[in-house]
Amino acid sequence: GKLALRYQPVKQFVLRGAASTGFRAPSLAQSFFSHVTTSYVAGQLIEVGNFPVDHPAAELLGAKPLKEETSVNLSAGIAVTPRDNFTFTLDFFNIKINDRILLGATFDDDTTLAILANAGYTGIGGLQYFTNGLDTRTQGIDLTANLRVPAGTGNFDLNASINYTKNEILRVDPLPQVLQDA
């Protein structure tokens, strides 16, 4: 859903704000793609598998079905026009995304390899899968200014802007329980 408001008490001043929610379903590649990459590490060829979450080797290491990402977006701003040819705006935004989908860590330690080998997966030197592993927040401000100067039959626009954005990780999935227990 989305709710947006705009209030203009006088011609030279506008207040605006919006709140919305969203979601993004896992892509087909994130849900079903699989491949094995052979890498040369420390003088040895190592095969690292990137498996879907429903692959038995990924499930063995704690993979769970992917959920959609969900978000809450908030923004507020002002626009001021002190002269007919000059406008500046100031906007704040805050975007929180829960259950971000990302490619997880490469599990290639001795404990992981022993768990895989005990289950019959001896040709794999490491394993990755997609996970809903992060919650994040992005917030910041935008400041813009626009000066319109008459130039012949048109206008010459001078624009300036500055932005400050901060990204924060609010949650990271812990190590899979099977590896914590081992």
Side-chain angles (χ1 to χ4, degrees), residues 10-165:
V10 293
K11 180 181 175 186
Q12 299 84 7
F13 185 75
V14 175
L15 288 171
R16 57 187 176 221
S20 64
T21 59
F23 78 97
R24 186 184 75 81
S27 70
L28 288 173
Q30 292 168 329
S31 298
F32 301 108
F33 181 70
S34 177
H35 76 278
V36 175
T37 302
T38 303
S39 299
Y40 192 71
V41 178
Q44 294 184 350
L45 292 175
I46 305 289
E47 293 196 354
V48 176
N50 179 342
F51 297 119
V53 295
D54 62 352
H55 187 282
E59 288 177 336
L60 186 64
L61 293 179
K64 300 175 201 151
L66 294 174
K67 302 181 286 186
E68 71 274 0
E69 297 176 347
T70 59
S71 64
V72 175
N73 310 288
L74 304 172
S75 63
I78 62 168
V80 179
T81 306
R83 296 188 341 217
D84 284 345
N85 68 336
F86 179 68
T87 301
F88 72 88
T89 65
L90 178 65
D91 292 284
F92 167 78
F93 57 91
N94 182 314
I95 306 163
K96 186 167 186 273
I97 301 176
N98 294 316
D99 298 317
R100 275 190 104 135
I101 300 169
L102 67 143
L103 185 59
T106 301
F107 299 112
D108 60 358
D109 57 279
D110 292 337
T111 302
T112 298
L113 298 179
I115 291 169
L116 291 170
N118 288 339
Y121 297 102
T122 55
I124 300 173
L127 186 139
Q128 288 181 293
Y129 53 83
F130 283 94
T131 179
N132 292 101
L134 290 178
D135 292 346
T136 62
R137 178 175 50 223
T138 301
Q139 56 185 354
I141 58 170
D142 293 321
L143 177 63
T144 67
N146 184 8
L147 178 63
R148 291 167 302 286
V149 180
T153 60
N155 288 319
F156 184 67
D157 284 350
L158 298 170
N159 297 295
S161 61
I162 189 167
N163 166 273
Y164 173 78
T165 302

